[in-house]
Amino acid sequence: MDAVFAALADPTRRAVLQRLLEDGPATATALAPAFPVSRQAVVKHLGVLGDAGLVTATRDGREVRYAARTEPMVEAASWLARAGAQWDARLARLVRQLGPR
Amino acid sequence: MDAVFAALADPTRRAVLQRLLEDGPATATALAPAFPVSRQAVVKHLGVLGDAGLVTATRDGREVRYAARTEPMVEAASWLARAGAQWDARLARLVRQLGPR
DNA sequence: CACATGTGCAACCACGTTGTTGCACAGTAC
DNA sequence: GTACTGTGCAACAACGTGGTTGCACATGTG
């Protein structure tokens, strides 16, 4: 949970994640030019996202293809919903959608 | 948005927030003994939560009473829902609940 | 083989974060 | 006024983060 929120706290990282969600899997090298940082920086970001379970890396020949995962996002949303359900009708509705777990 | 996720990334901070959500407003001094850190540390955490809009501070005599706000939590949940809606049915349902904004 | 290209590793820097302690200051109570 | 208690401010240490660069290594391609 720590790792998930921490990963989402960086704007570049959120942008990388969105890109993977929208355009599908990609390599760090392919991703980097779309962002104002070096390839190495993107690799580090993908590492952080990976530690949080938000992306998976699969090797394909000499390339490493990164893909987004939604599971941790659901869990994060679930935490938010449960924490605030008592005080916010919208979050309470989300709890009913996601289940109390 | 950065500030909200960053604030939620720290476990102590999430615990403080939960405490405020469950037991209602409280002062930093009253809160501190419940956590394994000094009062000053709690004050700093409340400051971070405040910068993210997750708590508000209101002065009452010589005391400062902190209260939780759910608005940023809804926004964070909304970001998660919209980002992953395309790939996760649960998140897509949340988007319908929260509205596309 | 020789060459180009994608990855990985390491060092390094600047800066922010989390936590501490110590002390000053402001209200409240006697 | 004096004493107590809640806040605020500042300095400091330790550590993590985001970013860079440089170079080695692995894997395809001519």
Side-chain angles (χ1 to χ4, degrees), chain B residues 27 29 39-40 44 59 62-64:
Chain B
T27 68
T29 308
R39 170 186 65 94
Q40 298 290 12
K44 282 194 187 180
R59 170 152 234 127
R62 74 174 160 179
E63 297 189 345
V64 178

Side-chain angles (χ1 to χ4, degrees), chain A residues 8-80:
Chain A
L8 294 171
D10 186 274
T12 303
R13 224 136 49 201
R14 281 201 307 281
V16 169
L17 182 60
Q18 268 184 311
R19 170 86 177 226
L20 288 177
L21 284 164
E22 288 165 13
D23 303 354
T27 68
T29 308
L31 241 30
F35 301 95
V37 296
S38 67
R39 169 186 65 93
Q40 298 289 13
V42 172
V43 172
K44 282 195 188 182
H45 282 307
L46 287 167
V48 174
L49 289 167
D51 289 344
L54 287 162
V55 305
T56 56
T58 49
R59 171 151 235 128
D60 174 30
R62 74 171 161 180
E63 297 188 345
V64 176
R65 184 151 259 94
Y66 294 89
R69 286 187 66 245
T70 51
E71 216 54 41
M73 300 174 65
V74 175
E75 284 174 31
S78 186
W79 187 93
L80 289 166

Side-chain angles (χ1 to χ4, degrees), chain B residues 5-93:
Chain B
F5 283 122
L8 295 171
D10 186 275
T12 302
R13 225 137 47 202
R14 281 201 307 280
V16 169
L17 182 59
Q18 269 184 312
R19 170 88 177 224
L20 288 178
L21 285 164
E22 289 166 12
D23 302 354
T27 68
T29 308
L31 241 30
F35 301 95
V37 295
S38 67
R39 170 186 65 94
Q40 298 290 12
V42 173
V43 172
K44 282 194 187 180
H45 282 307
L46 288 166
V48 174
L49 289 168
D51 288 345
L54 287 161
V55 305
T56 56
T58 49
R59 170 152 234 127
D60 175 29
R62 74 174 160 179
E63 297 189 345
V64 178
R65 185 150 260 91
Y66 293 89
R69 285 187 66 245
T70 52
E71 217 55 42
M73 299 174 65
V74 175
E75 284 174 32
S78 187
W79 187 93
L80 289 165
R82 274 176 288 131
Q86 207 172 358
W87 293 89
D88 190 291
R90 287 162 295 179
L91 294 175
R93 259 178 278 141

